[in-house]
Structure formats: structure tokens, C-alpha cells
Amino acid sequence: MCGCGGRRRRRLGALLLGLLLGGLLLRRFNWSSLVPLQLRGRTLGLQAEDSEFRLEGMPFRIFGGSMHYFRVPREYWRDRMVKMKTCGLNTLTTYVPWNLHEAANGKFDFSGNLDLEAFLTLAADVGFWVILRPGPYICSEWDLGGLPSWLLQDPEMQLRTTYKGFTEAVDAYFDHLMTRVVPLQYKKGGPIIAVQVENEYGSYAKDPQYLTYVKMALLNRGIVELLMTSDNRDGLSSGYVDGALATVNFQKMDYSFLNFLDSVQQNKPKMVMEYWTGWFDSWGGPHNIFDADDMVNSVAEVLKTGASINLYMFHGGTNFGFMNGALDSDEYKPDVTSYDYDAVLTEAGDYTSKFFKLRQLFTKIIGQPLPPPPMITGKASYGAVLLPQYVSLWEVLPSIVEPVKSEFPVNMENLPVNDGNGQAYGYTLYETVISGGGQLHSRDHVRDRAQVFVNTVFVGFLDYNTVELSIPEGQGFRQLRLLVENCGRVNYGLMLNEQRKGLIGDVFLNKTPLRNFKIYSLEMKPGFMESLRGVTAWSTIPDYAVGPAFFRGNLQVQYIPRDTFLKLEGWEKGVVFVNGKNLGRYWKIGPQETLYLPATWLQPGNNEIIVFEERTAGRIIQSVDMPYLGRTHYLD
């Protein structure tokens, strides 16, 4: 039934696309002279004075695509951009993640994979204009919507408002960020033609003065290009600000969305800032798919109205490390490591049917042949990787982590670690001493998931759904241990101020609050992994090994490394590190079953793989040449 319905939809979709293309061909657009490296004498910039955009006085439509530099290895930026260009797009959009650029308060990082200036300069070199989306909040299925966790050290913090503690932090960040951005604006010879004011604020809308504050924060630091806002249909009425062009976000074409834009700003160009080409996945759910014909038909309908469009995402990439976000509407749902998004290019940068269908569409609109798409690079299957070495978390703790001693539980962000910035990501271990058993109750103070141990014996889990466990009776004093994982902070909705992690309040044993903790911060940064590598406690894996523990082996690469995918069949839940870099989380509940390992993280010869497994360990991991992102669910 589903298969037949899908075939009928695709036949009808192809017919509809042909009809729409006929309408679009009435007006072709040739922008061969409107590219960053050829346009001279720039004075006007992108204008939105009437019903169509003009760039340097000439009619212009934005055919954009989103790609985030922080989700794609730097060595692959050009490849992904060239593929985007050969699909017919003229504009690249990217978010800017505050929590990566200022991970510690007052310490800024724009190096390596975070070199925003290099990314924007490369975009211009490839031939793209840029719409920059600097936040400070970006959503993007990214931890806390891109806001740094150290903001939550303030117990009164009100994120995304004009609360003084928040605006002072934004001002300091923008002071640094805008010195890098301003010289790359259109009027200064750069590729940036527009800058977005915050992001989807209409869905939050807690402070009517906030958008004006962000707008002025941009203008006062030298932003002179067109300003825009971006919201879904429900947020449009309260998400725009005078002096900025309102744009809309959606997936299925509904003319009322664009009509509503006309109602809030008459005689202005219409733009879909986020046309959702797919959707993200959550742990425990399916891998979401948006039918390629349905997507292209909707894009064609949007373009037939004369609107501009940005494809979110053109290339999704990966939530490497612990950077995935989460949703919390009816229940808390953390996002998976892959940000494949069922986008136009896959997580590994390969073409999809969406690419070729869109390329056909844009070719006919532009009226010129597009350059040929680059060849894709082959993927490698390196086979089974044995992990013969093992060390328990309990064995390595005393030697590589200094505990914090506290009478009361302390949430992750307020731990006195990282030069006063607290712990941002990963795991936190809380240890205390008990003299008996009984009922352990979290009072819903576990964020987000805790393994509970008596000494080293696993007792059970506490999370949002399970708030009580039975602790077995025993003689004498015993250690009660709660290993709490931050599974990802919520990135969208009204719960942003409630995203402190670890133990956020008292936990009770027989109605008595637990006291006198040793607290271990297990962020698993490169320094931690380097210390772990040197411990003497590594041994041959026993016949039956359970976590929490680290498992180590080597992936052998001959000749030039190629991209591959790691499959952890038989493992339960944990994190994979390759040559010291955090590849991301895996979890047997799916949907994601493979982790993307870019060739740029590998080297010829030995490549060390360390797996932190929470519970049930396998003996091998498989390196395969195809991803498997789980059982699929077609979006309606």
C-alpha cells in the first residue's frame, strides 16, 4: 500500500513539476555578472524597497542553501560549496554558534574549523553571496540553540531577553564577532548581502524590547547591509522588528504563509528563509524522510510566486561531540549525532535525488547550462576493528580527575571547574556514602539520565520517566554513585532557561536528602583523553565486560584515508573517540546505527579508537562504506 501510494505520488509529482516549470520559464534570470568576484563599484547592496529584491540596482532573487561550517570538516568546505554552486544556487547561509566561539567566558576561538572569516572568504571565491545568521540564538538543533552554557551559572538568567546579565554577555561577544564580520560586508567588498536579527523570536517572544536591542547591537557595531528576521507562520506576528525584512519558514507550500508576509509588510520582496528540505531525528524515533518529488514541487511553487528561497538544509553535516540539541514539548527528546536531515547532500556530502531534481529546476529558471557537478569521493570499508584493551571508569577516576567536594549536589554548569566556567557537556559523577538501602527518589532532579550504582554494582536508571529506584540493603557503609549524562540541551521552545544539567536539586534516600558528595566532571575533552591514554590500568578485555568503561583498539588504514562509517552493533550506549576527537554518541535504541567518520580525521597506518560504553560492550566495531540512519518515516 505505502509503496504503491509512493509511486503514484511520484508520477503525479513529476507531472506537477512539469506544469510549474512551464510557468517559471516565462521569466528567466541570468545573474552571471552578479557574483562576488566580478561585481565592482558597490554602493547600493541588497535592497528590499518594493516587491522584488535588487542588488546594485538590478533585479535579483535569492536562491540560497544552508551549510554550517561548524558541522563540516574544514577540508570539505570547498567541495560542499562547489556542489551547491553546480545545483544552481547563488547564496549561502550559515549560522554562527556562540557556544563554540566563546566556550569559556571572554576567551574567543575563530581558528581551524571555527575560522568564520576563511569560510566566508571561500564562499565568495566559489561565487556565493552570503546571508549571515549570527544569533546570538540560532536554534539549529544545536545545544542550547548555540548559547554558551556558562550563561546558566546566573540563577536569575533570562536568556533571549534584555535581562542585564544576558545583554552584557551578548555585547561582549558581538564586540569581538562583528570586528570579523563587518569587513566582509557587501559594501566593503565582501560577500555578505544580508544579516539576520536573532532567529525565530516570534516563537519565544518573552520580551517586546529584545529584537530592537539585537537590531541596534548589530547596527551600532557597523552592520550596514539589509537586516532580516525569520519565523514560522505562528511566530511571524510577534517575530519581526521595524527596520528588518520579515521572512518565513516552512516545508509544505501554503499560500497563506506568503500572504501573511504581505499583511505584515506590504509591497516587499517575499522570502522563505528556511525551506525545510527534510527534518532532524531524535533518539528512539525514526529517520525522517521528505519525498524528493514533494520537496521539489513545493520549491517550484514557491518560486512561481516570485519569492526568493533558502534551502535549509542543503548540506546538514554532523553534530560531532556532545553538541546535539533536544526538544522538550510533551517529553524530552535529544537529537541524534547525524545531522543528515535528509538534505540535498547527504551527511557525507554525496548527491541525492533531490540534488539532481533541484539542479534541473534551477537550470530551467536560470536559462543557462550549469557547470558539471564534481565527482563524489569513494567511501571505505575497513572491516572489523577489534578493541582488545579495556579499563573501567572506576579504575581511572582517581588518577585523572580531581573531584569537587560539596555538601549539596551541584549542577554541571556551576561546578568550580574550567577556570570558573563550569562544565558544559558530557557526564558528571556524583558519589556519596550510604549506610543502608531503601527507596531512592530523584524528585525529577536528574538531567538528563543517570546510571545508579552501589559501589560498582549497577542498580538501574533514573531519568524523566523513572524517578524512583529500590536500593538493596547491605552491611556497613557503601558508595552510592550516580553517573549523570547531559544528553543535549533543548534548543527550541520556552524551556531554555531550565537547561541546567547534572543533579539540579536534592535526591532522596528514604525521604532524607543525600549529602556530602564527591563530584567528578567528565567532559572528556582532549586533555582528559590524553591522560586516559597514558594510564597504566589498561588490560586485556575480560570475557564479560560491562560499563561504564573505556575500550581501545586500532583501525588500520593503508594508503590515503577515505570517509567511512562506524557501526556499533552489540554495543548499548556511549561515545566514540577517533585519534582523540569526539565523533559523537551512539545508542542502540536508534534510529542512527552508524557514525560518520570523515577521512580528514584519519591517517595512514594506526588510528586509535576509544569507545566509552555505559553498559553493554561489544567486542568489535565495523567500518562500513554505507551509512545506516535507521528505519524511515515519510513526512506527511
Side-chain angles (χ1 to χ4, degrees), residues 382-409:
Y382 294 112
V385 180
L386 297 174
L387 279 77
Q389 293 184 298
Y390 153 92
V391 63
S392 166
L393 175 65
W394 315 126
E395 293 180 85
V396 300
L397 269 182
S399 61
I400 62 174
V401 181
E402 182 71 26
V404 172
K405 295 181 180 179
S406 173
E407 180 180 358
F408 303 95

Side-chain angles (χ1 to χ4, degrees), residues 486-562:
N486 166 5
C487 296
R489 293 182 183 86
V490 167
N491 59 269
Y492 180 82
L494 301 178
M495 300 293 290
L496 294 183
N497 292 320
E498 315 304 321
Q499 295 308 303
R500 295 168 184 87
K501 298 297 184 178
L503 293 184
I504 63 168
D506 284 330
V507 174
F508 292 77
L509 182 61
N510 298 330
K511 300 182 179 180
T512 299
L514 296 173
R515 292 290 182 260
N516 300 317
F517 290 91
K518 286 183 179 180
I519 307 173
Y520 296 84
S521 172
L522 302 172
E523 204 158 357
M524 301 188 187
K525 292 181 175 181
F528 175 93
M529 299 308 295
E530 186 62 34
S531 298
L532 178 67
R533 190 176 291 115
V535 300
T536 58
W538 288 99
S539 61
T540 302
I541 188 170
D543 290 336
Y544 180 68
V546 295
F550 297 91
F551 299 80
R552 182 166 66 179
N554 278 302
L555 184 154
Q556 294 287 331
V557 174
Q558 291 184 335
Y559 312 115
I560 299 174
R562 289 187 290 170

Side-chain angles (χ1 to χ4, degrees), residues 555-604:
L555 184 154
Q556 294 287 331
V557 174
Q558 291 184 335
Y559 312 115
I560 299 174
R562 289 187 290 170
D563 289 357
T564 188
F565 304 88
L566 300 185
K567 186 174 179 64
L568 288 104
E569 190 171 359
W571 301 76
E572 186 166 334
K573 188 179 190 305
V575 191
V576 177
F577 300 84
V578 178
N579 293 328
K581 294 184 177 181
N582 189 336
L583 198 61
R585 309 177 211 251
Y586 65 90
W587 196 353
K588 72 173 184 180
I589 66 172
Q592 183 176 358
E593 294 188 21
T594 55
L595 291 174
Y596 171 56
L597 173 53
T600 57
W601 287 28
L602 296 171
Q603 60 195 16

Side-chain angles (χ1 to χ4, degrees), residues 137-150:
Y137 163 85
I138 64 171
C139 185
S140 193
E141 293 71 64
W142 193 253
D143 188 274
L144 201 57
L147 302 175
S149 62
W150 48 260

Side-chain angles (χ1 to χ4, degrees), residues 248-363:
V248 69
N249 306 334
F250 60 77
Q251 184 168 77
K252 296 297 180 70
M253 177 59 180
D254 185 331
Y255 288 95
S256 68
F257 296 160
L258 298 179
N259 292 338
F260 191 78
L261 276 180
D262 276 335
S263 73
V264 299
Q265 53 184 21
Q266 295 182 356
N267 198 34
K268 294 290 184 183
K270 290 188 278 290
M271 179 168 178
V272 183
M273 179 62 78
E274 291 186 13
Y275 177 79
W276 301 319
T277 62
W279 203 242
F280 59 90
D281 299 338
S282 301
W283 288 116
H287 173 47
N288 291 305
I289 297 291
F290 184 30
D291 181 77
D293 286 324
D294 289 347
M295 187 215 73
V296 176
N297 289 336
S298 291
V299 170
E301 286 188 79
V302 170
L303 296 178
K304 190 176 181 181
T305 70
S308 288
I309 196 168
N310 176 59
L311 304 174
Y312 186 99
M313 298 291 297
F314 189 88
H315 174 49
T318 308
N319 298 318
F320 291 117
F322 294 125
M323 298 311 297
N324 64 276
L327 281 179
D328 191 353
S329 48
D330 295 333
E331 61 178 314
Y332 171 82
K333 294 181 178 180
D335 301 330
V336 302
T337 299
S338 171
Y339 201 58
D340 177 88
Y341 203 84
D342 190 37
V344 183
L345 298 180
T346 69
E347 180 180 15
D350 293 334
Y351 302 115
T352 68
S353 62
K354 292 179 180 179
F355 176 91
F356 294 105
K357 291 174 187 291
L358 285 168
R359 177 177 156 87
Q360 179 186 21
L361 172 64
F362 287 121
T363 297

